[in-house]
Amino acid sequence: MGELHEKYLRMNKMPHIWCAGCGNGIIMGAFITAIDRLGYDKDEVAAVSGIGCSGRITGYLDFNTIHTTHGRALAFATGIKLTKPRLKVFVFMGDGDAVAIGGNHLIHACRRNLDMTAVIFNNHIYGMTGGQFSPTTFKNKSATTAPYGTTDPDFDIAQLCIGAGATYVARGTSYHARLLTDLIVKGAEHPGFSVIEVITHCPVNFGRRNNFESPAQMLLWQKEHGVAARKAKAMPLEDMEGKFTIGELYRSTEIPEYLEEYGRVIQAANEEKQP
Amino acid sequence: MAEAKLLSGNDACVQGALAAGVRFFAGYPITPSTEIANAFARELPGRGGIFMQMEDEIASMGAIIGASCTGTKAVTATSGPGFSLMQENIGYAAVAEIPCVIINVMRYGPSTGLPTSPSQGDFMQTRWGPHGDHPVIVIAPYTAREAYRETGRAVNLSERYRVPVIVLMDEILGHLRERVEFRDEDLVQEINRKGPDPDSTFLPYEYTEDGVPPFANFGTGYRYHITGLIHDETGFPTNNPVEVDRIMRRVNEKIELHRRDIARTQFVEVDDADILVVAFGSVARSAHEAVRTLRQEGKAVGMVRPVTVWPFPDEDIRKAAAGKKAVIVPEMNLGQMVREVERVVAGTVPVHALNRIDGLLITPQEMRDLIEDIQ
């Protein structure tokens, strides 16, 4: 791993701002491992992020990086990919970033199927602002904006993306780090819009308020509640209560990639120009 | 050149942008700017460009910033409600110094307002829309011919100074079709942003003599970081008060440093005038007509028209107003530019506001009536 750090991270920006025990570093490690396996040239990778703890990842990655506005990373990324399609574009967002303030951009990015990979850090809380509940916080949890417990139902990000038309959707965790690398590699290789939801842990602003005594305990929770998608299919529904599927959840190659489709527009425009 | 065309202000904007090398447009439909999106959708794909209809104006603004990062000249167009939604990302472009152009075809507001009626209610918003001190250039054409030339100039200024430039139109100018005869001076040249010097170390936000750092397009071998956090010359976040003060002064002052190149003001029969009208956009068409007819009657009236409205042409207005009996500022709002004029003349000349907020253009007759009252 040390070698990969030197190769893909801006080591002069260390130490990072993430709290001790945070899952974000595990995701960053899985990501650079995936990039190394994919063999991408660093100059040909664009990393785009939103605002929040997850958004800080672009400061540490040694690629073409842009830290955008809250919720809008996908909009910026769309402009980058459309105008320089040879760049490999990765978009990093948190749960509040991707499905609260940026929910509209997420569903439309899924629908368009432009060849980019979104990695969503789902720690079920607004960490940077100090522990407010997000659209993925489960019911009856404690948050600074829910001192009497949360009442809102939560989003299933992966299912939301499948419903909106993403052509590759997977879910990993910060516990299953090797699986996460595999999923990022597959998502990047998929020709279309891919989403990797990562269940991760925020010990300081979620765990502390919700009876987790340590980051390790939160990782164990992921281990115990994440069920391989293939295994889950064979399980009775009631056994999945409170659990979530991990692995590749959806893949389709039937829907054309956006720029491929746009090629038809260019062709039609050029034909019209002919005398 | 001398070629005559029938063009609306909206169409002329598109032609001017294309002539300046714009190859990316992202937008969302909204009256009265929609024809701009329609025209880009028709024109861009056959010229190696991309037209993108986004899910809203926030995304449109984000997409043009992203496109600009790869070195592509990018434009969006909108009106009141959409322009309000764009403010956060306009502030981002200003502080991250990403070239881009926003065409705002003003309609009557606030809120949904009168979607098909003109207004000049966004004069202050174009300057102060995003939160925080920030640089911006705003250009307000008043004919279709000028919309062509000035949109081209807007693209070039944004490339040269790494700043968002707003083309401030209104419903009348956007929708009016007129005969446009292009002459040599209308020729739009293509100006590209300054790139890194291959012989020296690249600093993304370097302090240079002209106050404008070189821009490395994404995918050209310079791996660096762009952020809306306040950053130092390396592009990475800083909260060191010395660095913060230094960069934010440079970012804001670069506009003043190049005011001469950015400014454009039209003077009509100003020298021997007793009464001066200061107007911009469609209202200046009425003002021009009022001045013309009053002059025929032997009355000493003149007009100053800021084409570049922000930075506000302080010196031009101060000089033109010096020694006049009165200055009249007609606007289709409750008085926004008049505050700037009052600030500039600082009590040396009486300033009269003429405001109309019923969704209709101020007529030449209304201006004549006020001028005759004052005389």
Side-chain angles (χ1 to χ4, degrees), chain A residues 43 62 65-67 69 72 75 79-80 83-84 86 105 112 262 273, chain B residues 46 51-52 55 58 63 70 72 89 92 218-219 223-227:
Chain A
D43 289 337
D62 189 20
T65 59
I66 178 165
H67 176 221
T69 47
R72 322 301 175 196
I80 293 169
T83 53
K84 208 161 255 185
R86 63 154 219 269
H105 311 307
R112 286 191 196 106
Y262 201 82
K273 274 204 309 195
Chain B
F51 166 85
M52 193 67 185
E55 54 273 20
I58 300 171
T70 71
T72 312
N89 282 341
Y92 184 95
F218 272 16
R223 296 187 308 275
Y224 69 106
H225 190 54
I226 300 176
T227 177

PDB file of all heavy atoms in Angstrom, chain A residues 43 62 65-67 69 72 75 79-80 83-84 86 105 112 262 273, chain B residues 46 51-52 55 58 63 70 72 89 92 218-219 223-227:
ATOM      1  N   ASP A  43      -2.486  11.377 -15.683  1.00  0.00           N
ATOM      2  CA  ASP A  43      -2.869  12.595 -16.410  1.00  0.00           C
ATOM      3  C   ASP A  43      -4.229  12.463 -17.092  1.00  0.00           C
ATOM      4  O   ASP A  43      -4.823  13.455 -17.511  1.00  0.00           O
ATOM      5  CB  ASP A  43      -1.825  12.921 -17.495  1.00  0.00           C
ATOM      6  CG  ASP A  43      -0.523  13.410 -16.892  1.00  0.00           C
ATOM      7  OD1 ASP A  43      -0.559  13.897 -15.744  1.00  0.00           O
ATOM      8  OD2 ASP A  43       0.515  13.290 -17.562  1.00  0.00           O
ATOM      9  N   ASP A  62      -3.712  12.493  -6.691  1.00  0.00           N
ATOM     10  CA  ASP A  62      -2.812  13.153  -7.651  1.00  0.00           C
ATOM     11  C   ASP A  62      -3.294  12.956  -9.096  1.00  0.00           C
ATOM     12  O   ASP A  62      -2.636  12.296  -9.902  1.00  0.00           O
ATOM     13  CB  ASP A  62      -1.391  12.614  -7.456  1.00  0.00           C
ATOM     14  CG  ASP A  62      -0.380  13.412  -8.264  1.00  0.00           C
ATOM     15  OD1 ASP A  62      -0.697  14.557  -8.652  1.00  0.00           O
ATOM     16  OD2 ASP A  62       0.717  12.878  -8.510  1.00  0.00           O
ATOM     17  N   THR A  65      -7.904  17.315 -10.512  1.00  0.00           N
ATOM     18  CA  THR A  65      -8.928  17.253  -9.458  1.00  0.00           C
ATOM     19  C   THR A  65      -9.698  18.558  -9.313  1.00  0.00           C
ATOM     20  O   THR A  65      -9.140  19.642  -9.450  1.00  0.00           O
ATOM     21  CB  THR A  65      -8.304  16.891  -8.088  1.00  0.00           C
ATOM     22  OG1 THR A  65      -7.330  17.876  -7.735  1.00  0.00           O
ATOM     23  CG2 THR A  65      -7.656  15.518  -8.129  1.00  0.00           C
ATOM     24  N   ILE A  66     -10.987  18.414  -9.030  1.00  0.00           N
ATOM     25  CA  ILE A  66     -11.818  19.597  -8.788  1.00  0.00           C
ATOM     26  C   ILE A  66     -12.827  19.328  -7.678  1.00  0.00           C
ATOM     27  O   ILE A  66     -13.563  18.340  -7.703  1.00  0.00           O
ATOM     28  CB  ILE A  66     -12.484  20.129 -10.094  1.00  0.00           C
ATOM     29  CG1 ILE A  66     -13.396  21.334  -9.807  1.00  0.00           C
ATOM     30  CG2 ILE A  66     -13.201  19.045 -10.875  1.00  0.00           C
ATOM     31  CD1 ILE A  66     -13.796  22.127 -11.044  1.00  0.00           C
ATOM     32  N   HIS A  67     -12.796  20.197  -6.704  1.00  0.00           N
ATOM     33  CA  HIS A  67     -13.659  20.155  -5.518  1.00  0.00           C
ATOM     34  C   HIS A  67     -14.738  21.195  -5.796  1.00  0.00           C
ATOM     35  O   HIS A  67     -14.446  22.391  -5.846  1.00  0.00           O
ATOM     36  CB  HIS A  67     -12.752  20.541  -4.335  1.00  0.00           C
ATOM     37  CG  HIS A  67     -13.413  20.666  -3.005  1.00  0.00           C
ATOM     38  ND1 HIS A  67     -13.087  21.676  -2.133  1.00  0.00           N
ATOM     39  CD2 HIS A  67     -14.338  19.919  -2.383  1.00  0.00           C
ATOM     40  CE1 HIS A  67     -13.783  21.532  -1.011  1.00  0.00           C
ATOM     41  NE2 HIS A  67     -14.557  20.480  -1.140  1.00  0.00           N
ATOM     42  N   THR A  69     -19.138  22.458  -5.860  1.00  0.00           N
ATOM     43  CA  THR A  69     -20.082  22.989  -4.867  1.00  0.00           C
ATOM     44  C   THR A  69     -20.944  21.846  -4.320  1.00  0.00           C
ATOM     45  O   THR A  69     -20.981  20.745  -4.879  1.00  0.00           O
ATOM     46  CB  THR A  69     -20.977  24.081  -5.495  1.00  0.00           C
ATOM     47  OG1 THR A  69     -21.481  23.615  -6.745  1.00  0.00           O
ATOM     48  CG2 THR A  69     -20.207  25.365  -5.709  1.00  0.00           C
ATOM     49  N   ARG A  72     -23.334  19.388  -6.481  1.00  0.00           N
ATOM     50  CA  ARG A  72     -23.274  19.650  -7.924  1.00  0.00           C
ATOM     51  C   ARG A  72     -22.132  18.951  -8.637  1.00  0.00           C
ATOM     52  O   ARG A  72     -21.865  19.244  -9.804  1.00  0.00           O
ATOM     53  CB  ARG A  72     -23.176  21.155  -8.197  1.00  0.00           C
ATOM     54  CG  ARG A  72     -23.991  22.051  -7.282  1.00  0.00           C
ATOM     55  CD  ARG A  72     -25.458  21.749  -7.329  1.00  0.00           C
ATOM     56  NE  ARG A  72     -26.177  22.563  -6.345  1.00  0.00           N
ATOM     57  CZ  ARG A  72     -27.401  22.321  -5.930  1.00  0.00           C
ATOM     58  NH1 ARG A  72     -28.076  21.267  -6.373  1.00  0.00           N
ATOM     59  NH2 ARG A  72     -27.977  23.111  -5.045  1.00  0.00           N
ATOM     60  N   ALA A  75     -22.812  17.595 -12.085  1.00  0.00           N
ATOM     61  CA  ALA A  75     -23.021  18.585 -13.143  1.00  0.00           C
ATOM     62  C   ALA A  75     -21.672  19.039 -13.707  1.00  0.00           C
ATOM     63  O   ALA A  75     -21.483  19.102 -14.924  1.00  0.00           O
ATOM     64  CB  ALA A  75     -23.807  19.778 -12.605  1.00  0.00           C
ATOM     65  N   GLY A  79     -19.866  18.246 -17.666  1.00  0.00           N
ATOM     66  CA  GLY A  79     -19.202  19.184 -18.579  1.00  0.00           C
ATOM     67  C   GLY A  79     -17.794  18.727 -18.938  1.00  0.00           C
ATOM     68  O   GLY A  79     -17.348  18.879 -20.077  1.00  0.00           O
ATOM     69  N   ILE A  80     -17.088  18.164 -17.975  1.00  0.00           N
ATOM     70  CA  ILE A  80     -15.712  17.678 -18.222  1.00  0.00           C
ATOM     71  C   ILE A  80     -15.737  16.508 -19.200  1.00  0.00           C
ATOM     72  O   ILE A  80     -15.037  16.496 -20.201  1.00  0.00           O
ATOM     73  CB  ILE A  80     -15.034  17.257 -16.896  1.00  0.00           C
ATOM     74  CG1 ILE A  80     -14.800  18.489 -16.008  1.00  0.00           C
ATOM     75  CG2 ILE A  80     -13.722  16.518 -17.150  1.00  0.00           C
ATOM     76  CD1 ILE A  80     -14.373  18.162 -14.581  1.00  0.00           C
ATOM     77  N   THR A  83     -16.747  17.249 -22.906  1.00  0.00           N
ATOM     78  CA  THR A  83     -15.825  18.033 -23.720  1.00  0.00           C
ATOM     79  C   THR A  83     -14.436  17.399 -23.815  1.00  0.00           C
ATOM     80  O   THR A  83     -13.627  17.836 -24.618  1.00  0.00           O
ATOM     81  CB  THR A  83     -15.701  19.480 -23.182  1.00  0.00           C
ATOM     82  OG1 THR A  83     -15.370  19.437 -21.789  1.00  0.00           O
ATOM     83  CG2 THR A  83     -17.012  20.238 -23.364  1.00  0.00           C
ATOM     84  N   LYS A  84     -14.144  16.406 -23.001  1.00  0.00           N
ATOM     85  CA  LYS A  84     -12.892  15.649 -23.148  1.00  0.00           C
ATOM     86  C   LYS A  84     -13.178  14.187 -22.810  1.00  0.00           C
ATOM     87  O   LYS A  84     -12.795  13.676 -21.755  1.00  0.00           O
ATOM     88  CB  LYS A  84     -11.782  16.238 -22.264  1.00  0.00           C
ATOM     89  CG  LYS A  84     -10.398  15.974 -22.838  1.00  0.00           C
ATOM     90  CD  LYS A  84      -9.327  16.890 -22.279  1.00  0.00           C
ATOM     91  CE  LYS A  84      -8.917  17.963 -23.254  1.00  0.00           C
ATOM     92  NZ  LYS A  84      -7.795  18.785 -22.789  1.00  0.00           N
ATOM     93  N   ARG A  86     -12.007  11.405 -23.549  1.00  0.00           N
ATOM     94  CA  ARG A  86     -10.975  10.399 -23.280  1.00  0.00           C
ATOM     95  C   ARG A  86     -10.569  10.380 -21.804  1.00  0.00           C
ATOM     96  O   ARG A  86      -9.959   9.423 -21.334  1.00  0.00           O
ATOM     97  CB  ARG A  86      -9.756  10.582 -24.182  1.00  0.00           C
ATOM     98  CG  ARG A  86      -8.992  11.849 -24.046  1.00  0.00           C
ATOM     99  CD  ARG A  86      -7.515  11.674 -24.468  1.00  0.00           C
ATOM    100  NE  ARG A  86      -6.714  12.439 -23.546  1.00  0.00           N
ATOM    101  CZ  ARG A  86      -6.368  13.714 -23.744  1.00  0.00           C
ATOM    102  NH1 ARG A  86      -6.699  14.320 -24.853  1.00  0.00           N
ATOM    103  NH2 ARG A  86      -5.664  14.361 -22.840  1.00  0.00           N
ATOM    104  N   HIS A 105     -29.514  15.955  -9.606  1.00  0.00           N
ATOM    105  CA  HIS A 105     -28.415  15.701 -10.541  1.00  0.00           C
ATOM    106  C   HIS A 105     -28.112  14.205 -10.623  1.00  0.00           C
ATOM    107  O   HIS A 105     -27.787  13.690 -11.682  1.00  0.00           O
ATOM    108  CB  HIS A 105     -27.169  16.489 -10.123  1.00  0.00           C
ATOM    109  CG  HIS A 105     -27.464  17.932  -9.838  1.00  0.00           C
ATOM    110  ND1 HIS A 105     -28.113  18.738 -10.753  1.00  0.00           N
ATOM    111  CD2 HIS A 105     -27.242  18.701  -8.745  1.00  0.00           C
ATOM    112  CE1 HIS A 105     -28.262  19.951 -10.222  1.00  0.00           C
ATOM    113  NE2 HIS A 105     -27.757  19.951  -9.015  1.00  0.00           N
ATOM    114  N   ARG A 112     -29.092   9.580 -18.057  1.00  0.00           N
ATOM    115  CA  ARG A 112     -28.349   9.873 -19.301  1.00  0.00           C
ATOM    116  C   ARG A 112     -27.378   8.782 -19.691  1.00  0.00           C
ATOM    117  O   ARG A 112     -27.102   8.572 -20.849  1.00  0.00           O
ATOM    118  CB  ARG A 112     -27.550  11.170 -19.127  1.00  0.00           C
ATOM    119  CG  ARG A 112     -28.412  12.383 -19.158  1.00  0.00           C
ATOM    120  CD  ARG A 112     -27.588  13.651 -19.257  1.00  0.00           C
ATOM    121  NE  ARG A 112     -28.468  14.743 -18.905  1.00  0.00           N
ATOM    122  CZ  ARG A 112     -28.439  15.410 -17.774  1.00  0.00           C
ATOM    123  NH1 ARG A 112     -27.522  15.137 -16.875  1.00  0.00           N
ATOM    124  NH2 ARG A 112     -29.311  16.354 -17.535  1.00  0.00           N
ATOM    125  N   TYR A 262     -25.024  10.552 -28.726  1.00  0.00           N
ATOM    126  CA  TYR A 262     -24.837  11.925 -29.207  1.00  0.00           C
ATOM    127  C   TYR A 262     -24.155  11.925 -30.575  1.00  0.00           C
ATOM    128  O   TYR A 262     -24.356  12.845 -31.369  1.00  0.00           O
ATOM    129  CB  TYR A 262     -24.021  12.751 -28.198  1.00  0.00           C
ATOM    130  CG  TYR A 262     -24.235  14.242 -28.368  1.00  0.00           C
ATOM    131  CD1 TYR A 262     -25.345  14.862 -27.805  1.00  0.00           C
ATOM    132  CD2 TYR A 262     -23.362  15.005 -29.140  1.00  0.00           C
ATOM    133  CE1 TYR A 262     -25.574  16.207 -27.991  1.00  0.00           C
ATOM    134  CE2 TYR A 262     -23.582  16.365 -29.323  1.00  0.00           C
ATOM    135  CZ  TYR A 262     -24.689  16.963 -28.746  1.00  0.00           C
ATOM    136  OH  TYR A 262     -24.919  18.296 -28.947  1.00  0.00           O
ATOM    137  N   LYS A 273     -25.823  19.675 -43.199  1.00  0.00           N
ATOM    138  CA  LYS A 273     -24.930  20.718 -43.723  1.00  0.00           C
ATOM    139  C   LYS A 273     -24.530  20.473 -45.168  1.00  0.00           C
ATOM    140  O   LYS A 273     -24.197  21.402 -45.891  1.00  0.00           O
ATOM    141  CB  LYS A 273     -23.648  20.773 -42.867  1.00  0.00           C
ATOM    142  CG  LYS A 273     -23.796  21.655 -41.646  1.00  0.00           C
ATOM    143  CD  LYS A 273     -22.457  22.174 -41.140  1.00  0.00           C
ATOM    144  CE  LYS A 273     -21.434  21.060 -40.960  1.00  0.00           C
ATOM    145  NZ  LYS A 273     -20.284  21.482 -40.149  1.00  0.00           N
TER     146      LYS A 273
ATOM    147  N   GLY B  46     -22.979  20.395 -35.420  1.00  0.00           N
ATOM    148  CA  GLY B  46     -22.322  20.395 -36.729  1.00  0.00           C
ATOM    149  C   GLY B  46     -20.999  21.143 -36.736  1.00  0.00           C
ATOM    150  O   GLY B  46     -20.331  21.228 -37.771  1.00  0.00           O
ATOM    151  N   PHE B  51     -24.233  20.492 -27.374  1.00  0.00           N
ATOM    152  CA  PHE B  51     -25.343  21.175 -26.713  1.00  0.00           C
ATOM    153  C   PHE B  51     -25.899  20.235 -25.664  1.00  0.00           C
ATOM    154  O   PHE B  51     -26.144  19.065 -25.952  1.00  0.00           O
ATOM    155  CB  PHE B  51     -26.443  21.523 -27.725  1.00  0.00           C
ATOM    156  CG  PHE B  51     -27.738  21.911 -27.042  1.00  0.00           C
ATOM    157  CD1 PHE B  51     -27.945  23.209 -26.624  1.00  0.00           C
ATOM    158  CD2 PHE B  51     -28.724  20.958 -26.786  1.00  0.00           C
ATOM    159  CE1 PHE B  51     -29.117  23.560 -25.960  1.00  0.00           C
ATOM    160  CE2 PHE B  51     -29.902  21.297 -26.126  1.00  0.00           C
ATOM    161  CZ  PHE B  51     -30.095  22.608 -25.723  1.00  0.00           C
ATOM    162  N   MET B  52     -26.123  20.758 -24.479  1.00  0.00           N
ATOM    163  CA  MET B  52     -26.617  19.897 -23.407  1.00  0.00           C
ATOM    164  C   MET B  52     -27.801  20.560 -22.718  1.00  0.00           C
ATOM    165  O   MET B  52     -27.681  21.679 -22.215  1.00  0.00           O
ATOM    166  CB  MET B  52     -25.462  19.717 -22.404  1.00  0.00           C
ATOM    167  CG  MET B  52     -25.691  18.627 -21.423  1.00  0.00           C
ATOM    168  SD  MET B  52     -25.682  17.020 -22.249  1.00  0.00           S
ATOM    169  CE  MET B  52     -26.128  15.985 -20.884  1.00  0.00           C
ATOM    170  N   GLU B  55     -30.800  19.389 -16.189  1.00  0.00           N
ATOM    171  CA  GLU B  55     -32.014  19.203 -15.386  1.00  0.00           C
ATOM    172  C   GLU B  55     -32.468  20.498 -14.716  1.00  0.00           C
ATOM    173  O   GLU B  55     -33.593  20.590 -14.245  1.00  0.00           O
ATOM    174  CB  GLU B  55     -31.809  18.093 -14.345  1.00  0.00           C
ATOM    175  CG  GLU B  55     -30.595  18.257 -13.427  1.00  0.00           C
ATOM    176  CD  GLU B  55     -29.322  17.658 -14.021  1.00  0.00           C
ATOM    177  OE1 GLU B  55     -29.266  17.456 -15.245  1.00  0.00           O
ATOM    178  OE2 GLU B  55     -28.375  17.401 -13.251  1.00  0.00           O
ATOM    179  N   ILE B  58     -28.952  25.232 -12.107  1.00  0.00           N
ATOM    180  CA  ILE B  58     -27.792  25.003 -11.243  1.00  0.00           C
ATOM    181  C   ILE B  58     -26.835  24.054 -11.967  1.00  0.00           C
ATOM    182  O   ILE B  58     -25.623  24.283 -12.045  1.00  0.00           O
ATOM    183  CB  ILE B  58     -28.234  24.386  -9.896  1.00  0.00           C
ATOM    184  CG1 ILE B  58     -29.202  25.326  -9.164  1.00  0.00           C
ATOM    185  CG2 ILE B  58     -27.031  24.064  -9.024  1.00  0.00           C
ATOM    186  CD1 ILE B  58     -29.855  24.705  -7.931  1.00  0.00           C
ATOM    187  N   ALA B  63     -22.161  22.547 -15.358  1.00  0.00           N
ATOM    188  CA  ALA B  63     -21.663  21.883 -16.572  1.00  0.00           C
ATOM    189  C   ALA B  63     -20.775  22.809 -17.398  1.00  0.00           C
ATOM    190  O   ALA B  63     -19.766  22.369 -17.942  1.00  0.00           O
ATOM    191  CB  ALA B  63     -22.832  21.374 -17.412  1.00  0.00           C
ATOM    192  N   THR B  70     -11.730  21.878 -19.289  1.00  0.00           N
ATOM    193  CA  THR B  70     -10.996  21.142 -20.323  1.00  0.00           C
ATOM    194  C   THR B  70     -10.523  22.095 -21.427  1.00  0.00           C
ATOM    195  O   THR B  70      -9.951  21.652 -22.416  1.00  0.00           O
ATOM    196  CB  THR B  70     -11.861  20.037 -20.963  1.00  0.00           C
ATOM    197  OG1 THR B  70     -12.880  20.655 -21.787  1.00  0.00           O
ATOM    198  CG2 THR B  70     -12.524  19.157 -19.932  1.00  0.00           C
ATOM    199  N   THR B  72     -12.633  24.231 -23.110  1.00  0.00           N
ATOM    200  CA  THR B  72     -13.703  24.483 -24.067  1.00  0.00           C
ATOM    201  C   THR B  72     -14.438  25.761 -23.702  1.00  0.00           C
ATOM    202  O   THR B  72     -14.822  25.943 -22.551  1.00  0.00           O
ATOM    203  CB  THR B  72     -14.706  23.298 -24.045  1.00  0.00           C
ATOM    204  OG1 THR B  72     -13.962  22.081 -24.122  1.00  0.00           O
ATOM    205  CG2 THR B  72     -15.683  23.371 -25.196  1.00  0.00           C
ATOM    206  N   ASN B  89     -22.935  28.902  -8.226  1.00  0.00           N
ATOM    207  CA  ASN B  89     -21.878  28.452  -9.125  1.00  0.00           C
ATOM    208  C   ASN B  89     -21.202  29.610  -9.868  1.00  0.00           C
ATOM    209  O   ASN B  89     -20.061  29.480 -10.297  1.00  0.00           O
ATOM    210  CB  ASN B  89     -22.407  27.401 -10.098  1.00  0.00           C
ATOM    211  CG  ASN B  89     -22.539  26.027  -9.441  1.00  0.00           C
ATOM    212  OD1 ASN B  89     -21.931  25.772  -8.397  1.00  0.00           O
ATOM    213  ND2 ASN B  89     -23.329  25.154 -10.030  1.00  0.00           N
ATOM    214  N   TYR B  92     -18.587  30.461  -7.592  1.00  0.00           N
ATOM    215  CA  TYR B  92     -17.518  29.457  -7.712  1.00  0.00           C
ATOM    216  C   TYR B  92     -16.591  29.812  -8.873  1.00  0.00           C
ATOM    217  O   TYR B  92     -15.365  29.832  -8.732  1.00  0.00           O
ATOM    218  CB  TYR B  92     -18.129  28.060  -7.931  1.00  0.00           C
ATOM    219  CG  TYR B  92     -17.094  26.957  -7.980  1.00  0.00           C
ATOM    220  CD1 TYR B  92     -16.767  26.221  -6.844  1.00  0.00           C
ATOM    221  CD2 TYR B  92     -16.407  26.672  -9.157  1.00  0.00           C
ATOM    222  CE1 TYR B  92     -15.806  25.225  -6.880  1.00  0.00           C
ATOM    223  CE2 TYR B  92     -15.426  25.687  -9.200  1.00  0.00           C
ATOM    224  CZ  TYR B  92     -15.137  24.963  -8.064  1.00  0.00           C
ATOM    225  OH  TYR B  92     -14.163  23.975  -8.097  1.00  0.00           O
ATOM    226  N   PHE B 218      -7.603  20.719 -18.181  1.00  0.00           N
ATOM    227  CA  PHE B 218      -7.579  19.333 -17.697  1.00  0.00           C
ATOM    228  C   PHE B 218      -7.175  18.407 -18.845  1.00  0.00           C
ATOM    229  O   PHE B 218      -7.611  18.572 -19.981  1.00  0.00           O
ATOM    230  CB  PHE B 218      -8.967  18.925 -17.182  1.00  0.00           C
ATOM    231  CG  PHE B 218      -9.188  19.247 -15.720  1.00  0.00           C
ATOM    232  CD1 PHE B 218      -8.359  20.128 -15.043  1.00  0.00           C
ATOM    233  CD2 PHE B 218     -10.233  18.642 -15.019  1.00  0.00           C
ATOM    234  CE1 PHE B 218      -8.564  20.421 -13.699  1.00  0.00           C
ATOM    235  CE2 PHE B 218     -10.453  18.923 -13.669  1.00  0.00           C
ATOM    236  CZ  PHE B 218      -9.617  19.817 -13.014  1.00  0.00           C
ATOM    237  N   GLY B 219      -6.321  17.435 -18.496  1.00  0.00           N
ATOM    238  CA  GLY B 219      -5.932  16.443 -19.490  1.00  0.00           C
ATOM    239  C   GLY B 219      -4.766  16.886 -20.353  1.00  0.00           C
ATOM    240  O   GLY B 219      -4.538  16.321 -21.416  1.00  0.00           O
ATOM    241  N   ARG B 223      -1.323  18.112 -13.469  1.00  0.00           N
ATOM    242  CA  ARG B 223      -2.284  17.619 -12.485  1.00  0.00           C
ATOM    243  C   ARG B 223      -2.304  18.603 -11.330  1.00  0.00           C
ATOM    244  O   ARG B 223      -1.301  18.769 -10.643  1.00  0.00           O
ATOM    245  CB  ARG B 223      -1.896  16.222 -12.006  1.00  0.00           C
ATOM    246  CG  ARG B 223      -1.927  15.178 -13.104  1.00  0.00           C
ATOM    247  CD  ARG B 223      -1.700  13.798 -12.525  1.00  0.00           C
ATOM    248  NE  ARG B 223      -0.503  13.746 -11.702  1.00  0.00           N
ATOM    249  CZ  ARG B 223       0.718  13.538 -12.177  1.00  0.00           C
ATOM    250  NH1 ARG B 223       0.891  13.344 -13.468  1.00  0.00           N
ATOM    251  NH2 ARG B 223       1.754  13.498 -11.361  1.00  0.00           N
ATOM    252  N   TYR B 224      -3.432  19.274 -11.165  1.00  0.00           N
ATOM    253  CA  TYR B 224      -3.518  20.247 -10.078  1.00  0.00           C
ATOM    254  C   TYR B 224      -4.940  20.266  -9.535  1.00  0.00           C
ATOM    255  O   TYR B 224      -5.796  19.497  -9.988  1.00  0.00           O
ATOM    256  CB  TYR B 224      -3.066  21.634 -10.554  1.00  0.00           C
ATOM    257  CG  TYR B 224      -4.013  22.295 -11.533  1.00  0.00           C
ATOM    258  CD1 TYR B 224      -4.832  23.348 -11.139  1.00  0.00           C
ATOM    259  CD2 TYR B 224      -4.097  21.861 -12.857  1.00  0.00           C
ATOM    260  CE1 TYR B 224      -5.700  23.957 -12.023  1.00  0.00           C
ATOM    261  CE2 TYR B 224      -4.979  22.471 -13.755  1.00  0.00           C
ATOM    262  CZ  TYR B 224      -5.769  23.511 -13.334  1.00  0.00           C
ATOM    263  OH  TYR B 224      -6.644  24.106 -14.214  1.00  0.00           O
ATOM    264  N   HIS B 225      -5.187  21.133  -8.571  1.00  0.00           N
ATOM    265  CA  HIS B 225      -6.445  21.097  -7.828  1.00  0.00           C
ATOM    266  C   HIS B 225      -7.203  22.410  -7.983  1.00  0.00           C
ATOM    267  O   HIS B 225      -6.621  23.484  -7.882  1.00  0.00           O
ATOM    268  CB  HIS B 225      -6.130  20.847  -6.344  1.00  0.00           C
ATOM    269  CG  HIS B 225      -7.335  20.558  -5.498  1.00  0.00           C
ATOM    270  ND1 HIS B 225      -8.238  19.559  -5.815  1.00  0.00           N
ATOM    271  CD2 HIS B 225      -7.778  21.120  -4.344  1.00  0.00           C
ATOM    272  CE1 HIS B 225      -9.188  19.534  -4.890  1.00  0.00           C
ATOM    273  NE2 HIS B 225      -8.938  20.472  -3.986  1.00  0.00           N
ATOM    274  N   ILE B 226      -8.500  22.293  -8.236  1.00  0.00           N
ATOM    275  CA  ILE B 226      -9.372  23.473  -8.297  1.00  0.00           C
ATOM    276  C   ILE B 226     -10.381  23.348  -7.161  1.00  0.00           C
ATOM    277  O   ILE B 226     -10.954  22.274  -6.954  1.00  0.00           O
ATOM    278  CB  ILE B 226     -10.109  23.545  -9.656  1.00  0.00           C
ATOM    279  CG1 ILE B 226      -9.107  23.637 -10.819  1.00  0.00           C
ATOM    280  CG2 ILE B 226     -11.077  24.725  -9.687  1.00  0.00           C
ATOM    281  CD1 ILE B 226      -9.745  23.619 -12.200  1.00  0.00           C
ATOM    282  N   THR B 227     -10.615  24.424  -6.430  1.00  0.00           N
ATOM    283  CA  THR B 227     -11.584  24.375  -5.324  1.00  0.00           C
ATOM    284  C   THR B 227     -12.249  25.732  -5.127  1.00  0.00           C
ATOM    285  O   THR B 227     -11.673  26.764  -5.474  1.00  0.00           O
ATOM    286  CB  THR B 227     -10.894  23.932  -3.999  1.00  0.00           C
ATOM    287  OG1 THR B 227     -11.855  23.977  -2.935  1.00  0.00           O
ATOM    288  CG2 THR B 227      -9.723  24.828  -3.616  1.00  0.00           C
TER     289      THR B 227
END
